[in-house]
Amino acid sequence: MSAKEAIHITDVAPRDGLQNQAVHVGTAGKLRLIELLVEAGLKSIEATSFVSPKAVPQMADAADLVPQVQVRFPALRTSVLVPNLKGLERAHTAGAKEVAVVLSATETMNRRNINMGLAQATEVSEQTLAAARALGLRTRAYIAVAFDCPFEGETPLDDVLRLAARMHAAAADEIVIADTIGSASPAQVKERFAALCGVVPIERVAVHLHDTRGMAVANAWAALEAGVRRFDSSVGGIGGCPFAPGAAGNVATEDLVLMAERSGFSTGISLDGLLAAVDFAQEELQRSLGGRAITWLRRQRDKNTQDKQDNNRRLA
Ligand code: COA
Ligand code: ZN
């Protein structure tokens, strides 16, 4: 039997998941969430963002959090979002080894998100990537609103291709194509990733999906079929951008893992481990969480626990 092909998952719950929550999660809670994700088998986590604390108060403790994560989980790929050189400088001072710049594919989204126009945001992203590389950091470049923009409608594919090529030329290790508002369809994913393959080597491309219209898992499958092997997701499906109205949470890590494993790919991630992280996040955020498969997954876990107890009783 041939070995299963691996896919690589970055859990973005501590950043994308928490940035827009009404309930404040403290540094200890974030560390515990990251610990549970590491225990579940995640090798890569987006831990926080070095943005203005006025713009995103939930991420104000980034400089405290990052050194603690690095010490406790030295083997983890800990990524942090940086919108500009100041963010990079703060991230580097905190000891971050991987940074993600965030470039939106439309004029208005860049202005709403990082207070720059598209041209300036592109240049600042390039400068930040170059400076990060000079510091020896690994880099990711988000292309946000790569399908639709909440302010400008459908994003022209040519703009996405041009920006992805610019970020590739700027030597970003990964180009993260983001469906920020969760509006993409599988057909659109198929079309856009086929075109992207012409400008960026597919090994460098990642996909970042939101589940606003319930199509995130179908879109992840379309990306898999297009050759993408790098995925962002968020445990419990928490997430959403405070500057992109109407966006729901990310594709849930547990849904993505279930789909990938059932389809013959290996993730190295334990579903029971993810459920423990969902349970913890629920307590912290004081509301029900979980992806589309959460009820079935919990039932499965309860059944396995019951079976084990019955077996032990029989053996005793
Ligand atoms: N981290 C912390 N503070 C920052 C910063 C950063 N990366 N970049 C700028 N600042 C500070 C400046 O030092 C300045 O502080 P002061 O008022 O005490 O002097 C203030 O923010 C304004 O600086 P300016 O360069 O004019 O920034 P701005 O007001 O144009 O805001 C961003 C630009 C990018 C900092 C802001 O829009 C932001 O943080 N956006 C968050 C984006 C985000 O997280 N979106 C969700 C994820 S995609
Ligand atoms: Zn997102």
Side-chain angles (χ1 to χ4, degrees):
M1 215 176 81
S2 61
K4 285 182 173 180
E5 193 184 348
I7 67 161
H8 184 88
I9 297 179
T10 297
D11 198 299
V12 297
R15 195 279 299 174
D16 208 343
L18 297 184
Q19 69 184 4
N20 200 23
Q21 300 296 329
V23 177
H24 181 79
V25 178
T27 311
K30 289 171 182 165
L31 266 173
R32 178 69 183 139
L33 179 61
I34 291 168
E35 180 176 55
L36 288 165
L37 291 171
V38 171
E39 284 172 8
L42 265 303
K43 304 273 183 299
S44 171
I45 293 177
E46 192 172 75
T48 185
S49 54
F50 286 85
V51 297
S52 159
K54 278 184 213 130
V56 188
Q58 285 276 18
M59 301 290 114
D61 63 347
D64 281 341
L65 179 67
V66 168
Q68 297 187 63
V69 176
Q70 305 275 21
V71 168
R72 285 182 56 185
F73 314 108
L76 178 69
R77 251 182 61 196
T78 307
S79 189
V80 300
L81 187 145
V82 298
N84 54 18
L85 285 165
K86 167 144 190 179
L88 172 65
E89 189 187 303
R90 290 179 61 219
H92 181 56
T93 304
K97 305 276 189 305
E98 176 168 324
V99 294
V101 298
V102 56
L103 172 63
S104 299
T106 66
E107 182 71 21
T108 317
M109 190 64 214
N110 278 301
R111 289 202 183 280
R112 298 292 179 107
N113 195 34
I114 56 174
N115 197 26
M116 298 172 211
L118 178 55
Q120 191 194 354
T122 308
E123 277 167 29
V124 166
S125 293
E126 286 170 337
Q127 287 161 5
T128 307
L129 288 172
R133 276 181 69 79
L135 292 168
L137 309 188
R138 195 176 183 279
T139 56
R140 309 178 88 212
Y142 278 106
I143 311 288
V145 298
F147 294 87
D148 294 283
C149 170
F151 310 106
E152 296 188 19
E154 185 170 349
T155 305
L157 175 56
D158 282 350
D159 292 349
V160 177
L161 297 179
R162 181 173 50 80
L163 296 172
R166 291 266 303 252
M167 294 300 103
H168 179 50
D173 292 307
E174 258 177 59
I175 318 282
V176 190
I177 304 300
D179 181 16
T180 308
I181 60 170
S183 66
S185 71
Q188 238 182 338
V189 169
K190 186 177 173 185
E191 183 209 3
R192 294 205 163 199
F193 281 94
L196 276 159
C197 285
V199 295
V200 182
I202 197 72
E203 312 81 64
R204 290 196 175 236
V205 174
V207 63
H208 176 109
L209 298 162
H210 283 261
D211 204 20
T212 314
R213 304 190 193 180
M215 266 184 260
V217 169
N219 288 336
W221 176 250
L224 260 175
E225 289 225 294
V228 176
R229 296 292 178 266
R230 296 176 184 278
F231 293 82
D232 283 5
S233 60
S234 159
V235 73
I238 46 177
C241 176
F243 310 103
N250 297 73
V251 63
T253 307
E254 59 273 22
D255 286 350
L256 182 63
V257 167
L258 182 62
M259 182 275 272
E261 297 276 350
R262 288 278 294 150
S263 306
F265 293 89
S266 75
T267 62
I269 298 170
S270 141
L271 285 165
D272 279 356
L274 291 176
L275 289 181
V278 177
D279 289 348
F280 174 75
Q282 279 197 165
E283 271 172 42
E284 284 285 314
L285 296 172
Q286 298 155 36
R287 63 187 176 88
S288 298
L289 298 172
R292 310 270 153 189
I294 196 71
T295 307
W296 183 83
L297 286 170
R298 286 200 169 113
R299 223 184 288 138
Q300 227 24 45
R301 173 178 61 179
D302 295 347
K303 187 176 168 299
N304 290 341
T305 311
Q306 187 64 47
D307 287 353
K308 257 185 226 149
Q309 283 169 355
D310 291 351
N311 251 341
N312 289 345
R313 223 170 285 133
R314 223 172 289 131
L315 291 171

